């Protein structure tokens, strides 16, 4: 595996691979790799001839009071995991290589970026779409892989790619969960044992709403009430949002018959976790 920090060199190497007729898969990450990231790398290895990845903790997507400084970093551990997953090119730039000075140019997917996590984390999705655009321009992949755990991010990136004509296919891979149901996240590392136990409430709340759907409930408000009832029983978790939205536009929906995304964010102490479930289109009960 070659580790590259310079954007121009990364572009040259990626272009050389594609020029030799190889289909290039790309997995952007902020490191602190877990099985969720590995599932993206494995999908890329299965579906493409060659895999590139990036490791860059992007300051632009963190708010001033967020966890940029303490975001988990383990370059050596990550390097070994990227290598074992068959990554050929790892792009690991420093902040100064990605942002030479104060930026004046941003990519924003209007209105969608203010929904769900975007409402609680102003500027977050602008930071994500800006860095992902830059990475796409550097790597020029045929296919890029994202996780369903951040369903809003995936929807916003799909929209950006469509509207800005990026010649890249977006693949969204399923959420990977621990045996207790908690969705894998680099931020799970912040949780103490009590908070880790309490974190199960996100999954339980979603499962309770899903069960209500399977019993015939279609009203979004009633499903949100079901899921909230689960949070009411867990004093160590503080709900940030729990919403039912259209999976493509992230606009709220009143009825899930046509399919919907049930998304949740909650604080365990100061750690904010997210999770979601897609409710497929339903036949009437
Ligand atoms: O999902 C993430 O890890 C980040 O938001 C991404 C896509 C790597 C951009 O920094």
């Amino acid at each position: 595996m070659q580790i590259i920090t310079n954007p121009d060199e990364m572009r040259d190497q990626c272009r050389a691979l594609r020029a030799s007729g190889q289909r290039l898969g790309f997995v952007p990450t902020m490191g602190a790799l877990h099985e969720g990231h590995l599932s993206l790398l494995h999908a890329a290895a299965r579906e493409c001839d060659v895999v590139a990845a990036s490791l860059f903790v992007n300051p632009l997507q963190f708010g001033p009071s967020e966890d940029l400084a303490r975001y988990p970093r383990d370059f050596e551990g990550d390097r070994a995991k990227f290598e074992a997953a068959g990554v050929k090119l790892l792009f690991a730039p420093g902040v100064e290589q990605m942002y030479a000075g104060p930026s004046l140019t941003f990519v924003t997917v209007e209105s969608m970026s203010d929904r769900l996590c975007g409402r609680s984390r102003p500027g977050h999705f602008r930071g994500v779409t800006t860095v992902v655009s830059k990475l796409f321009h550097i790597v020029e992949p045929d296919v890029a892989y994202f996780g369903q755990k951040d369903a809003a991010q995936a929807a916003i990136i799909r929209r950006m790619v469509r509207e800005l004509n990026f010649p890249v296919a977006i693949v969204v891979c399923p959420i990977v969960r621990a045996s207790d149901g908690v969705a894998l996240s680099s931020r799970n590392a912040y949780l103490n044992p009590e908070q880790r136990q309490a974190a199960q409430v996100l999954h339980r709340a979603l499962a309770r709403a899903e069960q209500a759907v399977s019993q015939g409930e279609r009203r979004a408000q009633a499903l949100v009430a079901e899921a909230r009832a689960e949070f009411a029983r867990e004093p160590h978790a503080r709900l940030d949002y729990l919403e039912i939205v259209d999976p493509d536009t992230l606009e709220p929906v009143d009825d899930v018959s046509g399919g919907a995304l049930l998304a949740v964010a909650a604080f365990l102490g100061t750690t904010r976790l997210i999770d979601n479930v897609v409710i497929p289109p339903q036949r009437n009960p």
Side-chain angles (χ1 to χ4, degrees):
M1 181 176 75
Q2 208 180 330
I3 300 174
I4 300 172
T5 56
N6 180 289
D8 294 334
E9 190 188 339
M10 182 69 181
R11 184 184 293 110
D12 289 347
Q13 296 286 349
C14 291
R15 280 191 180 168
L17 288 172
R18 293 186 73 225
S20 68
Q22 306 201 72
R23 184 173 160 83
L24 178 61
F26 175 51
V27 181
T29 81
M30 298 206 300
L33 298 191
H34 51 64
E35 289 293 329
H37 297 109
L38 298 188
S39 75
L40 307 183
L41 293 166
H42 293 153
R46 260 193 326 271
E47 295 167 12
C48 301
D49 301 315
V50 60
V51 180
S54 61
L55 194 178
F56 178 62
V57 182
N58 172 35
L60 216 57
Q61 68 190 77
F62 288 78
S65 60
E66 293 184 348
D67 56 346
L68 173 63
R70 68 171 188 139
Y71 195 81
R73 288 167 171 87
D74 173 17
F75 184 79
E76 274 314 308
D78 287 341
R79 193 196 55 71
K81 288 177 187 161
F82 280 121
E83 187 142 38
V87 170
K88 178 134 185 171
L89 297 177
L90 176 63
F91 181 49
V95 173
E96 58 302 333
Q97 281 150 317
M98 283 300 274
Y99 302 110
S103 299
L104 297 178
T105 309
F106 301 93
V107 177
T108 310
V109 178
E110 299 285 339
S111 86
M112 282 177 83
S113 293
D114 300 328
R115 299 194 190 284
L116 302 179
C117 292
R119 190 171 322 122
S120 332
R121 304 182 66 190
H124 168 67
F125 285 127
R126 181 179 84 152
V128 170
T129 41
T130 299
V131 80
V132 170
S133 300
K134 286 166 75 78
L135 291 167
F136 283 177
H137 285 306
I138 293 165
V139 176
E140 299 176 337
D142 294 292
V143 193
Y145 294 80
F146 294 87
Q148 170 66 21
K149 184 172 73 71
D150 199 333
Q153 170 173 282
I156 288 168
I157 287 170
R158 274 201 307 259
R159 185 79 177 226
M160 176 189 84
V161 161
R162 197 169 78 225
E163 294 191 356
L164 294 184
N165 303 88
F166 278 98
V168 52
I170 301 297
V171 172
V172 180
C173 297
I175 297 176
V176 180
R177 297 182 181 282
S179 54
D180 61 0
V182 175
L184 297 193
S185 162
S186 304
R187 292 189 167 96
N188 290 349
Y190 300 147
L191 303 175
N192 66 30
E194 191 179 57
Q195 292 165 341
R196 169 68 207 208
Q197 173 87 18
Q200 294 174 25
V201 69
L202 280 83
H203 175 55
R204 276 205 314 274
L206 297 174
R208 182 161 165 173
E210 261 186 313
Q211 189 179 358
V213 174
S214 72
Q215 289 166 350
E217 184 58 77
R218 301 288 181 263
R219 294 165 303 158
Q221 225 176 20
L223 295 169
V224 167
E226 282 290 335
R228 276 182 175 273
E230 206 55 50
F231 271 90
R233 287 152 35 106
E234 179 46 80
H236 298 294
R238 181 168 58 83
L239 201 51
D240 179 10
Y241 66 74
L242 204 162
E243 285 184 48
I244 301 192
V245 299
D246 179 290
D248 294 319
T249 64
L250 308 182
E251 303 254 7
V253 297
D254 294 332
D255 184 290
V256 301
S257 303
L261 173 74
L262 172 50
V264 63
F267 286 94
L268 291 303
T270 56
T271 303
R272 187 172 169 284
L273 298 181
I274 57 173
D275 201 347
N276 68 81
V277 68
V278 175
I279 300 168
Q282 301 292 311
R283 273 180 298 166
N284 283 331

